[in-house]
Amino acid sequence: MIAATWPRAEPLDERLLVIDVDRRSTVDALIRDLPAQLYAGDLLIVNDAATLPASFEARTEGDARIELRLLARGADDATWRAVLFGDRDWRTRTEDRPLPPRLDAGARIVIDGDLAATIVAVDPISPRLVTVHFERSGDALWSALYRLGRPVQYAYVSAPLDLWATQTPYASRPWAVEQPSAGRPLQWRVLAALRARGIEIAAVTHAAGLSATGDPAIDAALPLPERFDIPFATVAAVARAKRRGARIVAAGTTVVRALEGCARDNDGELVAGEGMTDLHIDGSLRLRIVDAIVTGLHEPTASHFRLLEAFAPTALLASAYDHATRAGYSNHEFGDSSLIFAHAR
């Protein structure tokens, strides 16, 4: 499959591969056709987390150039789990980046001479996985983060990404360190068409983490525990959909992680409020809440492919992705999408 190198000018023209497990069928469609693929009464749930500028060029006290890439917020807005990278520009693939110098607790990192952070802990998973505490907090910190940072970059894109290119149309709180990419093509026109067809739309906020770091030890542990918030209105919408026998459609694996992680930890019940989940999605997961997923396309060797085995058998996924490759679909964050129905209505 060919990697998409930039967001499509018209997101509604992006392709949508529809995979139905019960029918063992694969259908070619477009994102603009999503309303026609769902029934009145179905419920689409999106992740409304805005994407942070999570990548920072920095220097160590020994004047070594590094990249500090945020991973997840800690107990307060000045404390973050982060990953360190050696010096290279955005054109270098994550797995090809050089190692950063080893930094221990107490080491100070300076970003552009204006913002500094101190390493307060080094994770046993890898010396590149650290917890940092910024020397600012509140408005002063957030202003500096947005002024000095940039979104996580991808080596296969045609130019450096601006922050606007990594946001969903309905982004709200800045919780995600990488874009919740499944929701990116869901423009307001398609959302309005969904509502006009009688399909409900609700949201969760999930702090989508890094998809890869190039460090085998860290990548094997991903995704690390992530924060989510499920509004009472979303819990109520799920209950209504379940009562009428409608399907719950998740826009992305982060939505699945929030909903199914919450249900797993509450005896199958969805509970409103903030929480943390360490749920790993794979073929062993028994779906309690979600019946279908809108998600991007990734090659079968990618970790994302394993996540989709919670929704469809491996053989069906492999056959569908072979078809997508032959049909010229594109993959990765700005590529085409798939809609997988794990359960019929």
Side-chain angles (χ1 to χ4, degrees):
M1 215 173 291
I2 301 170
T5 60
W6 198 252
R8 196 187 298 261
E10 176 47 88
L12 297 189
D13 287 339
E14 292 183 11
R15 301 178 74 177
L16 179 68
L17 181 67
V18 183
I19 304 169
D20 190 306
V21 172
D22 289 335
R23 296 186 177 93
R24 292 294 193 272
S25 65
T26 301
V27 175
D28 296 313
L30 299 174
I31 281 289
R32 66 173 70 253
D33 301 323
L34 179 61
Q37 300 297 329
L38 303 180
Y39 293 118
D42 285 346
L43 172 64
L44 175 70
I45 303 181
V46 301
N47 179 6
D48 67 4
T51 308
L52 286 159
S55 171
F56 298 87
E57 295 181 359
R59 289 185 180 274
T60 67
E61 290 181 298
D63 207 35
R65 294 179 61 88
I66 62 170
E67 178 191 349
L68 174 72
R69 193 174 293 184
L70 302 181
L71 176 59
R73 201 194 80 166
D76 56 75
D77 66 358
T79 304
W80 290 79
R81 213 170 188 184
V83 180
L84 304 178
F85 293 81
D87 182 30
R88 282 293 187 277
D89 65 20
W90 63 273
R91 297 176 182 84
T92 304
R93 296 188 309 166
T94 299
E95 58 268 34
D96 296 331
R97 294 285 294 269
L99 294 175
R102 184 181 178 107
L103 300 177
D104 297 320
R108 193 166 179 265
I109 297 170
V110 178
I111 300 167
D112 197 35
D114 187 55
L115 178 64
T118 300
I119 295 177
V120 296
V122 178
D123 199 284
I125 292 175
S126 168
R128 292 177 53 197
L129 182 59
V130 299
T131 300
V132 300
H133 185 80
F134 287 101
E135 295 176 2
R136 300 184 190 181
S137 61
D139 292 347
L141 173 62
W142 285 102
S143 177
L145 293 178
Y146 273 85
R147 179 165 45 84
L148 302 174
R150 60 178 183 171
V152 170
Q153 304 292 308
Y154 306 106
Y156 54 80
V157 298
S158 57
L161 292 169
D162 292 320
L163 192 58
W164 65 264
T166 67
Q167 307 295 346
T168 60
Y170 40 77
S172 60
R173 290 176 288 181
W175 279 29
V177 298
E178 283 196 58
Q179 62 171 327
S181 56
R184 180 189 48 78
L186 300 179
Q187 302 295 303
W188 289 114
R189 281 173 291 165
V190 76
L191 296 176
L194 286 164
R195 287 194 183 278
R197 188 170 168 79
I199 296 154
E200 279 200 83
I201 301 170
V204 300
T205 307
H206 182 100
L210 297 176
S211 57
T213 68
D215 184 312
I218 301 175
D219 289 349
L222 294 178
L224 296 172
E226 292 168 343
R227 183 169 55 136
F228 65 85
D229 186 11
I230 303 176
F232 178 81
T234 298
V235 173
V238 169
R240 288 194 302 271
K242 293 290 186 184
R243 284 196 298 269
R244 61 180 175 256
R247 295 172 299 192
I248 312 298
V249 183
T253 55
T254 57
V255 174
V256 178
R257 200 164 188 236
L259 296 175
E260 297 292 343
C262 177
R264 180 202 62 181
D265 295 340
N266 291 282
D267 297 322
E269 296 296 321
L270 208 56
V271 178
E274 288 196 28
M276 295 285 293
T277 183
D278 61 357
L279 180 71
H280 281 241
I281 304 169
D282 58 26
S284 67
L285 176 65
R286 182 171 70 88
L287 296 169
R288 300 169 183 258
I289 305 296
V290 179
D291 303 295
I293 184 171
V294 178
T295 186
L297 294 170
H298 295 263
E299 57 275 359
T301 56
S303 59
H304 182 269
F305 194 84
R306 303 278 80 82
L307 307 182
L308 301 185
E309 291 175 346
F311 290 85
T314 304
L316 178 60
L317 289 172
S319 174
Y321 276 55
D322 284 345
H323 165 79
T325 300
R326 293 192 303 271
Y329 281 71
S330 60
N331 62 356
H332 288 305
E333 280 73 12
F334 300 110
D336 294 314
S337 301
S338 61
L339 169 62
I340 305 174
F341 292 108
H343 305 299
R345 183 172 175 178

